[in-house]
Amino acid sequence: MIHSEYLKAAQDAVAHVKSKVRYRGLNTAGGWIRHPDEVPGKFVARISSKIMGASRSAAYGGSFDAELYIDEVAKLGLESGTGNCSELSAIAFLYLKAKGIAPIEYFGVLRGAWNHAFVVLNRDASVPITDFATWSYQAVVCDPLYDRAADAGHLATWYSRMFPIKETDMWYRLDPA
């Protein structure tokens, strides 16, 4: 695939998430502003998501498994009709996986009070994640929480608090078959 095809795939993944999850980002003001006449439905979806998520977390007793995490939070978002960055990015990741798009990576950036998840397509695995200036040129970011699909270099502008980027920020990678 070429860069423009990865970009189109990321755009399609964002559109897919928007078509499957009615209430996106209820942990942000923007999530509550969308569909303002549906506040009762948002409360129900958010509470359902919290209950289902807590139940699944309590039932899981193993060490962290990123692939299982992606599968489970994607299901949670689809079943509850709501999701934050983790759920939405997981849905996008699985959509891209089902379409045979690779390489794709699920990023979970944890920075204290600021955390965010998104998907990166076409990152050269031979370039260390910490060398953002090198890999971001050809890679594409897919962030369904904010309806964003663009060159990964935009991450530096959109989420400056995530830098410097760390090896542990990339939770799971799917390489071409």
Side-chain angles (χ1 to χ4, degrees), residues 1-68:
M1 289 179 63
I2 61 175
H3 188 267
S4 61
E5 292 172 315
Y6 283 105
L7 180 58
K8 175 70 169 113
Q11 292 166 341
D12 291 347
V14 169
H16 171 76
V17 171
K18 288 172 70 172
S19 75
K20 297 292 181 185
V21 181
R22 178 70 176 167
Y23 306 123
R24 296 174 298 124
L26 295 182
N27 65 334
T28 68
W32 288 93
I33 292 169
R34 276 188 216 108
H35 312 295
D37 55 335
E38 298 178 18
V39 169
K42 290 178 185 185
F43 275 110
V44 169
R46 181 74 168 148
I47 292 168
S48 295
S49 174
K50 295 300 254 179
I51 292 169
M52 285 190 276
S55 174
R56 288 178 181 176
S57 292
Y60 181 73
S63 60
F64 183 74
D65 177 330
E67 189 174 11
L68 178 63

Side-chain angles (χ1 to χ4, degrees), residues 149-171:
D151 299 342
H154 284 84
L155 289 168
T157 303
W158 294 338
Y159 315 123
S160 60
R161 291 181 275 185
M162 73 182 252
F163 288 90
I165 203 159
K166 304 172 187 174
E167 294 289 339
T168 56
D169 293 334
M170 194 273 293
W171 291 7

